[in-house]
Amino acid sequence: MTTRHPGLTPGLLLPVRPTEPAAIAVEDRMYRWLAVLRFLLVANTVALNVYRGGFEHPVGGALLVAALVVWTCLISWVYHSFRRRTSFWVAADLIVALVSLALTSAVKEPGYHSTVPGFWIMGALFACAIHWRLYGGLVAAVLLSVDDLLTRGYLSETVYGNYFLLLVGGPIVGLMVDSLLRSAARTAAAERAASAALERTRMARTVHDGVLQVLALVQRRAPDLGSEGVELGRLVGEQEQALRSLIRQQDTVTPTPGMVDLVGALSALERRPGVSVAAPSDGVLLERAKADQIVAVVSACLDNVAAHVGPKAPAWVLLEATRDAVHVSVRDEGQGIADGRLDAAERDGRLGVASSIRGRVAELGGSAELTTGPHGTEWEFTVPRSPRPIVIE
């Protein structure tokens, strides 16, 4: 099972192919610096093999070193293009490193201390770490170490130190690459969200200064036209309220993945006749499941208002938020709930209030209070913003 990362798509072993342009740009820079490192490494390989010598077959050794130079030029050109950087070429790069280690015993004198490629194999190791992240760096380090040990046939303190650096460096580079690509993808997504939010705010102001002002003017003057004007004013008033609700939803904060702005979700309830929502202007972010349950609780309260007070009876929803909890109240101006009515409904199996309202709030670890009388009915809910265990007494 693989975990999806922002801007990354599934690959051979892990999510390996970035799709976010910002992540691709970061990966491009990594491979460009890897190309610089590879040319330094291949120059070091040529110099050390010329200086140390120790070849039993000098011609074969020279051909092997020449092949490493040619491969360095070829693979650096391949990695320069995102389209060409496929798993095939990365695997081929690792195979070339493994073969060059294995051929060392064929061209060098018995008991050699340094391989022909030497530190050159780091280029293939880092390419696997960039392409396949943690597992790529780890697997490449293990294969290179085992290949060298089997070919060499002995283990010394210096050789062990080289293996240790490979086994530690490969995975660490893979983890760092994964972290950098995630960060680039998330930063780009946040910048796009901020830009979109700024544009929505600009459009909302334009609508407020233009369309809403005209609708308000029509609503005030329409009754002067007679009975038809009264109906026209009512329709215009409904559309004005709906448009204001839409603007409020669009002008709230941009949620992060898995989060919902409770202000926007509750503002959508203003589309119901007679419902008014008062909420903070800067938004209230909650987990999606928790926000959905709170909206369901408020909707159940409004359903009761429509059923027992009237389908167009006025109702007010007030949202307040602190660092630890959200507080929601729903109030109407009906005749109130008669004493014992809720208990009787629960005994008769009608669990609208007990289940839809109190039950949902209890599942969220919150509390619900009911105030009712001739002046109307008001529900007050308090729900913690962070999860806490439900205690059953």
Side-chain angles (χ1 to χ4, degrees):
M1 179 173 163
T2 60
T3 302
R4 294 184 179 272
H5 303 307
L8 306 177
T9 56
L12 181 61
L13 297 177
L14 277 179
V16 298
R17 297 295 287 175
T19 56
E20 171 66 50
I24 294 175
V26 171
E27 188 183 87
D28 286 341
R29 288 194 294 272
M30 291 180 184
Y31 276 104
R32 291 192 180 103
W33 282 109
L34 178 60
V36 174
L37 175 63
R38 296 190 78 133
F39 280 110
L40 292 175
L41 291 174
V42 78
N44 179 73
T45 296
V46 172
L48 287 180
N49 280 284
V50 171
Y51 173 74
R52 291 174 177 171
F55 287 98
E56 186 176 10
H57 301 284
V59 176
L63 290 176
L64 180 55
V65 172
L68 296 181
V69 174
V70 172
W71 180 257
T72 299
C73 297
L74 174 62
I75 200 64
S76 296
W77 172 79
V78 170
Y79 288 161
H80 186 73
S81 170
F82 176 79
R83 181 178 55 85
R84 291 192 297 263
R85 289 198 298 264
T86 62
S87 298
F88 169 81
W89 283 107
V90 179
D93 196 12
L94 179 60
I95 291 173
V96 169
L98 294 171
V99 171
S100 67
L101 284 174
L103 290 178
T104 297
S105 61
V107 298
K108 282 225 169 186
E109 297 175 350
Y112 63 89
H113 295 288
S114 59
T115 63
V116 172
F119 294 118
W120 182 87
I121 63 173
M122 291 171 54
L125 172 68
F126 290 160
C128 291
I130 295 173
H131 189 74
W132 283 310
R133 314 293 189 270
L134 168 64
Y135 291 163
L138 178 60
V139 171
V142 170
L143 292 177
L144 290 169
S145 301
V146 171
D147 182 31
D148 181 70
L149 180 61
L150 293 177
T151 303
R152 187 185 297 272
Y154 69 90
L155 181 64
S156 66
E157 184 176 349
T158 301
V159 173
Y160 165 78
N162 293 336
Y163 295 162
F164 179 79
L165 292 177
L166 288 175
L167 293 172
V168 171
I172 287 179
V173 171
L175 288 173
M176 291 177 61
V177 170
D178 185 67
S179 178
L180 286 173
L181 294 185
R182 290 195 198 188
S183 177
R186 288 170 177 166
T187 300
E191 289 177 350
R192 287 197 302 269
S195 178
L198 182 62
E199 179 62 19
R200 288 197 301 268
T201 300
R202 186 190 65 81
M203 293 182 63
R205 289 169 180 167
T206 301
V207 172
H208 181 273
D209 294 340
V211 178
L212 289 178
Q213 298 296 333
V214 173
L215 291 177
L217 178 63
V218 173
Q219 184 181 9
R220 288 196 303 268
R221 297 188 177 182
D224 297 339
L225 301 177
S227 58
E228 294 183 356
V230 173
E231 178 64 16
L232 176 62
R234 185 186 65 80
L235 294 175
V236 169
E238 292 179 356
Q239 294 303 311
E240 180 191 5
Q241 185 180 37
L243 185 55
R244 289 185 185 275
S245 175
L246 179 61
I247 291 174
R248 186 182 302 172
Q249 295 174 59
Q250 294 297 320
D251 202 26
T252 54
V253 296
T254 303
T256 55
M259 306 292 284
V260 172
D261 180 20
L262 186 59
V263 173
L266 290 178
S267 295
L269 297 176
E270 286 190 328
R271 297 171 184 170
R272 294 187 176 211
V275 175
S276 298
V277 177
S281 59
D282 54 350
V284 178
L285 287 182
L286 286 180
E287 297 90 344
R288 180 177 298 275
K290 180 173 292 187
D292 289 344
Q293 288 296 315
I294 293 176
V295 173
V297 169
V298 175
S299 297
C301 294
L302 296 176
D303 289 340
N304 287 336
V305 174
H308 301 292
V309 183
K312 296 183 180 180
W316 294 267
V317 179
L318 173 63
L319 170 64
E320 297 176 305
T322 63
R323 186 183 66 177
D324 301 322
V326 293
H327 309 275
V328 184
S329 64
V330 183
R331 180 174 61 86
D332 65 61
E333 294 182 341
Q335 298 300 315
I337 303 175
D339 293 339
R341 181 176 174 183
L342 295 181
D343 294 335
E346 188 170 353
R347 287 194 302 270
D348 295 340
R350 292 179 282 117
L351 304 178
V353 172
S355 178
S356 297
I357 299 178
R358 288 191 173 124
R360 280 194 172 104
V361 174
E363 289 176 358
L364 296 176
S367 60
E369 295 184 6
L370 173 64
T371 303
T372 185
H375 59 279
T377 300
E378 181 175 7
W379 282 99
E380 294 185 13
F381 315 106
T382 299
V383 177
R385 301 185 75 161
S386 57
R388 71 182 184 186
I390 300 175
V391 179
I392 301 178
E393 299 179 352

